[in-house]
Amino acid sequence: YAPFDREPIAVGINTWSSSPGLSKEDAQVQLHVWITSVLLHLRTITVPESPPSITLPLIFVTEEKWELLFAHDWGTRIEVVHSVNMGDTKCMLGCYQILKMLRVIAGWVDGPFR
């Protein structure tokens, strides 16, 4: 799909709540499958002789808790590593922490990612 070649997706986000039918583990698997397909697509639009090492941020929201993870393409495997607490929506301070983190991520997307 051509638009994804010109402006690929930079950040994945998945939300999960404790509703019946989907476990937290299932939601994490969905996020891993999605980011794997994005990174494999990025491989196809880069120089095949020397594909770059790519790391993309992922946001996983479970109820009120926001986590930042990173997916790294090692060339031979894709690994989701490191989890950082972004904040939570239980209190105003947590909301401001999330907002700050989203602004930092947006700055990365508008800067180095492009």
Side-chain angles (χ1 to χ4, degrees):
Y1 185 65
F4 289 132
D5 291 348
R6 292 187 299 276
E7 294 193 28
I9 297 170
V11 181
I13 185 167
N14 194 0
T15 59
W16 177 83
S17 66
S18 58
S19 60
L22 184 68
S23 70
K24 183 177 178 181
E25 291 76 24
D26 290 340
Q28 289 172 327
V29 168
Q30 284 180 346
L31 187 61
H32 290 158
V33 168
W34 178 84
I35 195 60
T36 298
S37 67
V38 168
L39 288 170
L40 290 175
H41 175 72
L42 288 175
R43 280 187 197 171
T44 67
I45 62 173
T46 58
V47 180
E49 297 82 34
S50 59
S53 176
I54 300 170
T55 302
L56 293 179
L58 302 169
I59 298 171
F60 189 62
V61 182
T62 55
E63 310 255 330
E64 69 276 342
K65 182 181 176 190
W66 289 55
E67 292 177 86
L68 176 64
L69 301 103
F70 297 93
H72 184 76
D73 183 353
W74 294 97
T76 56
R77 72 184 192 286
I78 294 170
E79 183 178 12
V80 176
V81 295
H82 199 57
S83 174
V84 176
N85 180 15
M86 291 179 64
D88 61 58
T89 56
K90 288 190 285 189
C91 67
M92 190 60 73
L93 178 60
C95 293
Y96 281 120
Q97 289 172 326
I98 293 168
L99 181 60
K100 175 64 178 174
M101 292 289 285
L102 291 173
R103 287 179 174 161
V104 168
I105 293 168
W108 173 82
V109 171
D110 285 339
F113 180 75
R114 293 204 186 269

